[in-house]
Protein backbone atom coordinates (compact mmCIF):
# COMPACT_ATOMS: atom_id res chain seq x y z
CA UNK A 1 0.00 0.00 0.00
CA UNK A 2 2.83 2.37 0.89
CA UNK A 3 4.69 1.56 -2.36
CA UNK A 4 1.54 2.30 -4.33
CA UNK A 5 1.26 5.67 -2.60
CA UNK A 6 4.91 6.42 -3.34
CA UNK A 7 4.44 5.47 -6.98
CA UNK A 8 1.46 7.80 -7.27
CA UNK A 9 3.39 10.65 -5.64
CA UNK A 10 6.37 9.96 -7.90
CA UNK A 11 4.24 10.03 -11.06
CA UNK A 12 2.50 13.19 -9.84
CA UNK A 13 5.90 14.92 -9.59
CA UNK A 14 6.80 13.74 -13.09
CA UNK A 15 3.48 14.99 -14.49
CA UNK A 16 3.98 18.33 -12.73
CA UNK A 17 7.42 18.72 -14.40
CA UNK A 18 9.24 18.58 -11.05
CA UNK A 19 12.75 17.17 -11.45
CA UNK A 20 13.65 13.94 -9.67
CA UNK A 21 16.86 14.37 -7.68
CA UNK A 22 19.31 11.69 -6.44
CA UNK A 23 17.99 11.60 -2.86
CA UNK A 24 14.34 11.46 -3.91
CA UNK A 25 12.41 8.20 -3.80
CA UNK A 26 12.15 6.58 -7.23
CA UNK A 27 10.94 3.21 -8.55
CA UNK A 28 13.69 0.65 -9.04
CA UNK A 29 12.79 0.33 -12.74
CA UNK A 30 13.17 4.09 -13.19
CA UNK A 31 16.62 3.94 -11.59
CA UNK A 32 17.70 0.96 -13.69
CA UNK A 33 16.47 2.58 -16.90
CA UNK A 34 18.47 5.72 -16.14
CA UNK A 35 21.57 3.74 -15.20
CA UNK A 36 21.39 1.95 -18.54
CA UNK A 37 20.60 5.02 -20.64
CA UNK A 38 23.02 7.49 -19.05
CA UNK A 39 25.92 5.03 -18.92
CA UNK A 40 25.28 4.01 -22.55
CA UNK A 41 25.36 7.70 -23.44
CA UNK A 42 28.65 8.15 -21.53
CA UNK A 43 30.18 5.07 -23.18
CA UNK A 44 29.19 6.41 -26.60
CA UNK A 45 30.94 9.73 -25.97
CA UNK A 46 34.16 8.01 -24.90
CA UNK A 47 34.21 5.31 -27.59
CA UNK A 48 33.21 7.97 -30.13
CA UNK A 49 36.58 9.66 -29.70
CA UNK A 50 38.34 6.70 -31.35
CA UNK A 51 37.22 7.02 -34.99
CA UNK A 52 38.04 10.74 -34.88
CA UNK A 53 41.33 10.42 -33.00
CA UNK A 54 42.51 8.35 -35.94
CA UNK A 55 42.50 11.54 -38.06
CA UNK A 56 44.23 14.06 -35.77
CA UNK A 57 47.65 13.52 -37.34
CA UNK A 58 46.20 13.50 -40.87
CA UNK A 59 43.99 16.58 -40.79
CA UNK A 60 44.51 18.62 -43.99
CA UNK A 61 45.34 21.91 -42.24
CA UNK A 62 46.43 23.30 -38.88
CA UNK A 63 42.96 24.82 -38.42
CA UNK A 64 41.29 21.48 -39.13
CA UNK A 65 43.60 19.79 -36.63
CA UNK A 66 42.87 22.33 -33.89
CA UNK A 67 39.11 22.13 -34.45
CA UNK A 68 39.15 18.33 -34.43
CA UNK A 69 41.23 18.26 -31.23
CA UNK A 70 38.78 20.65 -29.58
CA UNK A 71 35.87 18.45 -30.59
CA UNK A 72 37.47 15.29 -29.22
CA UNK A 73 38.30 17.12 -25.97
CA UNK A 74 34.63 18.12 -25.70
CA UNK A 75 33.59 14.49 -26.08
CA UNK A 76 35.88 13.43 -23.24
CA UNK A 77 34.21 16.11 -21.12
CA UNK A 78 30.76 14.86 -22.09
CA UNK A 79 31.73 11.40 -20.92
CA UNK A 80 32.88 12.91 -17.62
CA UNK A 81 29.59 14.78 -17.06
CA UNK A 82 27.53 11.73 -17.93
CA UNK A 83 29.47 9.23 -15.82
CA UNK A 84 29.15 11.69 -12.92
CA UNK A 85 25.38 11.91 -13.48
CA UNK A 86 25.11 8.11 -13.68
CA UNK A 87 27.05 7.70 -10.41
CA UNK A 88 24.35 9.66 -8.55
CA UNK A 89 22.12 6.61 -9.10
CA UNK A 90 24.15 4.41 -6.78
CA UNK A 91 26.62 2.61 -9.05
CA UNK A 92 30.30 3.49 -9.30
CA UNK A 93 32.09 4.53 -12.47
CA UNK A 94 34.25 1.42 -12.18
CA UNK A 95 31.09 -0.72 -12.34
CA UNK A 96 29.83 1.09 -15.43
CA UNK A 97 33.20 0.74 -17.17
CA UNK A 98 33.40 -2.95 -16.28
CA UNK A 99 29.96 -3.45 -17.86
CA UNK A 100 31.19 -1.74 -21.03
CA UNK A 101 34.39 -3.74 -21.27
CA UNK A 102 32.63 -7.06 -20.56
CA UNK A 103 30.08 -6.38 -23.31
CA UNK A 104 27.14 -6.21 -20.89
CA UNK A 105 26.60 -2.50 -21.60
CA UNK A 106 26.24 -1.06 -25.09
CA UNK A 107 27.24 2.16 -26.79
CA UNK A 108 25.93 3.76 -29.98
CA UNK A 109 26.21 1.36 -32.90
CA UNK A 110 27.45 4.15 -35.21
CA UNK A 111 30.91 4.10 -33.66
CA UNK A 112 31.53 0.58 -34.90
CA UNK A 113 31.98 1.82 -38.47
CA UNK A 114 35.43 2.78 -39.81
CA UNK A 115 36.41 6.33 -40.80
CA UNK A 116 38.21 5.80 -44.11
CA UNK A 117 38.73 9.34 -45.43
CA UNK A 118 38.83 12.94 -44.20
CA UNK A 119 35.29 13.33 -45.57
CA UNK A 120 34.20 10.83 -42.93
CA UNK A 121 35.10 13.45 -40.31
CA UNK A 122 32.55 15.65 -42.03
CA UNK A 123 29.95 12.89 -42.13
CA UNK A 124 30.48 12.07 -38.45
CA UNK A 125 30.08 15.70 -37.42
CA UNK A 126 27.18 16.49 -39.71
CA UNK A 127 25.20 13.25 -39.48
CA UNK A 128 26.23 11.53 -36.25
CA UNK A 129 26.40 14.66 -34.11
CA UNK A 130 23.39 16.03 -35.96
CA UNK A 131 21.40 12.95 -34.96
CA UNK A 132 22.73 13.26 -31.41
CA UNK A 133 21.51 16.87 -31.18
CA UNK A 134 18.00 15.93 -32.30
CA UNK A 135 17.89 13.34 -29.52
CA UNK A 136 19.67 15.36 -26.88
CA UNK A 137 17.79 18.65 -27.19
CA UNK A 138 14.73 16.93 -25.75
CA UNK A 139 16.91 15.34 -23.04
CA UNK A 140 17.53 18.81 -21.62
CA UNK A 141 13.96 18.44 -20.30
CA UNK A 142 14.38 14.87 -19.08
CA UNK A 143 12.84 14.20 -15.67
CA UNK A 144 16.06 13.30 -13.84
CA UNK A 145 17.78 16.46 -12.61
CA UNK A 146 21.49 15.58 -12.94
CA UNK A 147 20.99 14.20 -16.47
CA UNK A 148 18.93 17.21 -17.52
CA UNK A 149 21.53 19.69 -16.28
CA UNK A 150 24.43 17.83 -17.91
CA UNK A 151 22.60 17.92 -21.24
CA UNK A 152 22.38 21.73 -21.32
CA UNK A 153 26.12 22.18 -21.80
CA UNK A 154 26.49 19.05 -23.91
CA UNK A 155 23.89 20.29 -26.41
CA UNK A 156 25.66 23.63 -26.81
CA UNK A 157 28.91 21.87 -27.63
CA UNK A 158 27.26 19.29 -29.89
CA UNK A 159 25.83 22.08 -32.03
CA UNK A 160 29.42 23.23 -32.63
CA UNK A 161 30.36 19.68 -33.61
CA UNK A 162 27.52 19.48 -36.11
CA UNK A 163 28.58 22.78 -37.72
CA UNK A 164 32.19 21.59 -37.90
CA UNK A 165 31.13 18.47 -39.80
CA UNK A 166 28.78 20.32 -42.11
CA UNK A 167 31.52 22.81 -42.96
CA UNK A 168 33.84 19.97 -43.99
CA UNK A 169 31.15 18.41 -46.19
CA UNK A 170 30.16 21.75 -47.74
CA UNK A 171 33.78 22.61 -48.52
CA UNK A 172 34.43 19.25 -50.16
CA UNK A 173 31.10 19.24 -52.03
CA UNK A 174 32.08 22.57 -53.59
CA UNK A 175 35.68 21.53 -54.26
CA UNK A 176 37.13 19.42 -57.04
CA UNK A 177 35.10 16.58 -58.60
CA UNK A 178 37.24 14.14 -56.62
CA UNK A 179 36.55 15.95 -53.35
CA UNK A 180 32.81 16.04 -54.04
CA UNK A 181 32.87 12.32 -54.84
CA UNK A 182 34.64 11.69 -51.53
CA UNK A 183 31.98 13.68 -49.65
CA UNK A 184 29.18 11.80 -51.42
CA UNK A 185 30.85 8.47 -50.63
CA UNK A 186 31.04 9.38 -46.92
CA UNK A 187 27.36 10.36 -46.96
CA UNK A 188 26.47 7.07 -48.68
CA UNK A 189 28.24 5.01 -46.03
CA UNK A 190 27.09 6.94 -42.94
CA UNK A 191 23.49 7.77 -43.86
CA UNK A 192 21.78 4.51 -42.90
CA UNK A 193 23.88 3.86 -39.76
CA UNK A 194 23.08 7.44 -38.67
CA UNK A 195 19.32 7.08 -38.90
CA UNK A 196 19.57 3.72 -37.12
CA UNK A 197 21.21 5.58 -34.21
CA UNK A 198 17.72 6.40 -32.95
CA UNK A 199 17.18 2.74 -32.19
CA UNK A 200 14.57 0.23 -33.34
CA UNK A 201 11.03 1.14 -34.37
CA UNK A 202 8.81 2.07 -31.43
CA UNK A 203 6.91 -1.21 -31.85
CA UNK A 204 10.18 -3.12 -31.33
CA UNK A 205 11.51 -1.00 -28.45
CA UNK A 206 10.42 -2.45 -25.08
CA UNK A 207 11.83 0.48 -23.08
CA UNK A 208 10.04 3.28 -24.92
CA UNK A 209 6.73 3.07 -23.02
CA UNK A 210 8.04 3.67 -19.52
CA UNK A 211 10.68 6.12 -20.76
CA UNK A 212 7.96 8.36 -22.20
CA UNK A 213 5.62 7.86 -19.24
CA UNK A 214 8.39 8.87 -16.82
CA UNK A 215 9.47 11.71 -19.16
CA UNK A 216 13.00 10.34 -19.36
CA UNK A 217 12.41 10.61 -23.10
CA UNK A 218 10.09 13.28 -24.50
CA UNK A 219 9.79 11.81 -27.97
CA UNK A 220 9.87 8.27 -29.33
CA UNK A 221 12.57 6.73 -31.53
CA UNK A 222 10.50 7.07 -34.69
CA UNK A 223 9.51 10.67 -33.95
CA UNK A 224 13.13 11.66 -33.42
CA UNK A 225 14.26 9.80 -36.55
CA UNK A 226 11.65 11.59 -38.67
CA UNK A 227 12.69 14.98 -37.29
CA UNK A 228 16.35 14.28 -38.14
CA UNK A 229 15.56 13.15 -41.70
CA UNK A 230 13.32 16.15 -42.42
CA UNK A 231 16.08 18.55 -41.34
CA UNK A 232 19.04 16.77 -42.91
CA UNK A 233 17.57 16.22 -46.39
CA UNK A 234 17.30 19.99 -46.83
CA UNK A 235 20.88 20.49 -45.63
CA UNK A 236 22.12 17.98 -48.21
CA UNK A 237 20.27 19.79 -50.98
CA UNK A 238 21.93 23.09 -50.06
CA UNK A 239 25.44 21.70 -50.63
CA UNK A 240 24.52 19.57 -53.64
CA UNK A 241 24.81 16.09 -52.14
CA UNK A 242 22.28 13.28 -52.62
CA UNK A 243 20.73 11.25 -49.81
CA UNK A 244 21.31 7.56 -50.75
CA UNK A 245 17.67 6.50 -50.48
CA UNK A 246 15.69 5.91 -53.71
CA UNK A 247 12.45 5.79 -51.70
CA UNK A 248 12.98 9.24 -50.19
CA UNK A 249 10.21 11.68 -51.16
CA UNK A 250 8.22 14.52 -49.63
CA UNK A 251 4.76 13.53 -48.42
CA UNK A 252 2.51 16.57 -48.63
CA UNK A 253 -0.27 14.95 -46.59
CA UNK A 254 2.02 14.05 -43.68
CA UNK A 255 4.19 17.13 -43.94
CA UNK A 256 7.25 14.89 -43.68
CA UNK A 257 9.62 12.91 -45.86
CA UNK A 258 8.81 9.28 -46.53
CA UNK A 259 11.93 7.11 -46.54
CA UNK A 260 13.05 3.55 -47.23
CA UNK A 261 13.28 0.68 -44.76
CA UNK A 262 16.48 0.29 -42.79
CA UNK A 263 18.53 -2.90 -42.76
CA UNK A 264 17.61 -4.06 -39.27
CA UNK A 265 19.61 -7.26 -39.64
CA UNK A 266 22.71 -5.12 -39.94
CA UNK A 267 21.63 -2.96 -36.99
CA UNK A 268 21.20 -5.92 -34.65
CA UNK A 269 24.39 -7.55 -35.92
CA UNK A 270 26.37 -4.44 -34.97
CA UNK A 271 24.56 -3.97 -31.64
CA UNK A 272 25.35 -7.56 -30.71
CA UNK A 273 29.07 -7.01 -31.26
CA UNK A 274 29.61 -8.13 -34.84
CA UNK A 275 30.08 -4.82 -36.64
CA UNK A 276 33.19 -3.82 -38.62
CA UNK A 277 35.00 -2.30 -35.63
CA UNK A 278 33.31 -3.63 -32.45
CA UNK A 279 36.27 -5.68 -31.25
CA UNK A 280 38.77 -2.99 -32.25
CA UNK A 281 36.92 -0.28 -30.32
CA UNK A 282 36.61 -2.32 -27.11
CA UNK A 283 40.18 -3.63 -27.25
CA UNK A 284 41.48 -0.09 -27.68
CA UNK A 285 39.38 1.10 -24.72
CA UNK A 286 40.64 -1.74 -22.50
CA UNK A 287 44.27 -1.04 -23.41
CA UNK A 288 43.93 2.70 -22.75
CA UNK A 289 42.14 2.00 -19.47
CA UNK A 290 44.87 -0.40 -18.31
CA UNK A 291 47.72 1.85 -19.50
CA UNK A 292 46.20 4.75 -17.56
CA UNK A 293 45.83 2.85 -14.28
CA UNK A 294 48.93 4.49 -12.82
CA UNK A 295 47.42 7.95 -13.37
CA UNK A 296 44.28 7.02 -11.44
CA UNK A 297 46.33 5.45 -8.66
CA UNK A 298 48.55 8.53 -8.41
CA UNK A 299 45.53 10.83 -8.27
CA UNK A 300 43.97 8.78 -5.47
CA UNK A 301 47.26 8.74 -3.53
CA UNK A 302 47.62 12.51 -3.92
CA UNK A 303 44.04 13.11 -2.77
CA UNK A 304 44.63 10.94 0.32
CA UNK A 305 47.80 12.85 1.19
CA UNK A 306 45.99 16.16 0.87
CA UNK A 307 43.25 14.85 3.12
CA UNK A 308 45.80 13.77 5.73
CA UNK A 309 47.42 17.22 5.65
CA UNK A 310 44.08 18.88 6.26
CA UNK A 311 43.39 16.58 9.23
CA UNK A 312 46.77 17.40 10.75
CA UNK A 313 46.24 21.11 10.23
Amino acid sequence: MEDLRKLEEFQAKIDAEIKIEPKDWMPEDYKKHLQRQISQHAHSEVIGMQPEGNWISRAPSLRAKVVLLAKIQDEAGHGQYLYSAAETLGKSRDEFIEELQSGKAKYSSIFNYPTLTWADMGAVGWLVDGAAIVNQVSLQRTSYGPYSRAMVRICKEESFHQRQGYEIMATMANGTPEQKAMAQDALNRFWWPSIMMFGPHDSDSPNTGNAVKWKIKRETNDELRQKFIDKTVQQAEVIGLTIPDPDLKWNEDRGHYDFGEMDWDEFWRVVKGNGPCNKQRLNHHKKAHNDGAWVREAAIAYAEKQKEKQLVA
Side-chain angles (χ1 to χ4, degrees):
M1 195 72 175
E2 184 179 356
D3 283 348
L4 180 59
R5 181 180 58 81
K6 286 181 178 179
L7 276 170
E8 290 173 347
E9 291 174 352
F10 173 81
Q11 191 62 49
K13 288 178 70 174
I14 297 287
D15 295 340
E17 302 290 345
I18 298 171
K19 296 296 184 194
I20 305 301
E21 299 297 341
K23 292 183 179 179
D24 294 342
W25 184 90
M26 64 189 75
E28 192 63 25
D29 286 346
Y30 177 84
K31 180 186 291 186
K32 288 180 179 178
H33 184 106
L34 282 168
Q35 287 174 335
R36 179 189 59 79
Q37 181 171 325
I38 301 174
S39 65
Q40 179 176 310
H41 193 166
H43 300 330
S44 298
E45 294 285 354
V46 173
I47 296 292
M49 295 191 297
Q50 290 187 39
E52 294 171 320
N54 183 44
W55 280 92
I56 292 172
S57 63
R58 294 183 285 168
S61 69
L62 179 59
R63 177 181 181 274
K65 186 190 295 286
V66 169
V67 172
L68 183 60
L69 277 167
K71 182 187 177 190
I72 294 170
Q73 182 178 354
D74 283 349
E75 287 161 352
H78 298 174
Q80 169 74 2
Y81 309 149
L82 291 163
Y83 280 129
S84 296
E87 285 181 304
T88 65
L89 291 158
K91 284 176 68 172
S92 70
R93 188 170 310 200
D94 287 342
E95 289 178 279
F96 287 123
I97 290 173
E98 192 282 325
E99 288 176 350
L100 168 66
Q101 294 184 349
S102 68
K104 181 180 178 181
K106 306 299 181 186
Y107 55 88
S108 181
S109 59
I110 191 72
F111 298 120
N112 290 309
Y113 290 87
T115 47
L116 305 176
T117 70
W118 176 250
D120 288 7
M121 292 299 94
V124 168
W126 174 35
L127 300 175
V128 176
D129 292 315
I133 290 169
V134 169
N135 184 42
Q136 293 171 10
V137 162
S138 65
L139 287 175
Q140 292 177 105
R141 296 184 295 118
T142 192
S143 61
Y144 188 57
Y147 195 20
S148 172
R149 291 187 286 274
M151 292 313 305
V152 173
R153 178 168 179 174
I154 289 174
C155 283
K156 290 178 181 177
E157 293 175 350
E158 288 289 3
S159 65
F160 151 71
H161 301 167
Q162 193 269 347
R163 289 195 295 273
Q164 172 253 7
Y166 191 61
E167 179 188 75
I168 292 172
M169 294 297 270
T171 300
M172 297 189 74
N174 289 282
T176 65
E178 291 80 7
Q179 288 172 328
K180 183 172 183 178
M182 191 181 293
Q184 183 64 56
D185 174 65
L187 172 55
N188 292 347
R189 286 183 287 106
F190 275 91
W191 174 252
W192 292 105
S194 293
I195 63 174
M196 286 191 280
M197 280 177 65
F198 295 99
H201 286 307
D202 298 337
S203 58
D204 299 320
S205 180
N207 298 310
T208 294
N210 279 337
V212 173
K213 174 186 174 183
W214 291 326
K215 298 187 179 181
I216 295 172
K217 291 181 67 171
R218 296 288 180 148
E219 296 170 280
T220 68
N221 295 351
D222 287 331
E223 289 170 344
L224 292 166
R225 188 174 4 254
Q226 184 71 68
K227 185 179 290 187
F228 170 72
I229 290 171
D230 290 346
K231 179 176 71 171
T232 309
V233 170
Q234 296 174 17
Q235 294 171 347
E237 290 173 352
V238 169
I239 59 177
L241 296 179
T242 303
I243 300 294
D245 181 357
D247 297 322
L248 185 73
K249 62 180 181 298
W250 178 254
N251 186 318
E252 195 67 43
D253 293 336
R254 293 199 312 121
H256 297 288
Y257 281 95
D258 292 335
F259 55 95
E261 186 60 28
M262 291 156 279
D263 185 347
W264 291 112
D265 288 339
E266 177 184 345
F267 172 79
W268 290 115
R269 186 166 61 250
V270 176
V271 167
K272 292 175 181 177
N274 297 310
C277 299
N278 287 69
K279 292 180 176 61
Q280 175 185 333
R281 300 290 186 239
L282 275 182
N283 287 339
H284 184 92
H285 186 277
K286 290 175 185 176
K287 183 178 185 303
H289 186 73
N290 292 335
D291 289 348
W294 70 272
V295 178
R296 297 190 297 276
E297 291 165 1
I300 291 170
Y302 177 78
E304 289 175 348
K305 283 187 177 180
Q306 294 301 109
K307 189 175 179 180
E308 288 173 5
K309 286 180 181 179
Q310 290 175 357
L311 290 173
V312 171

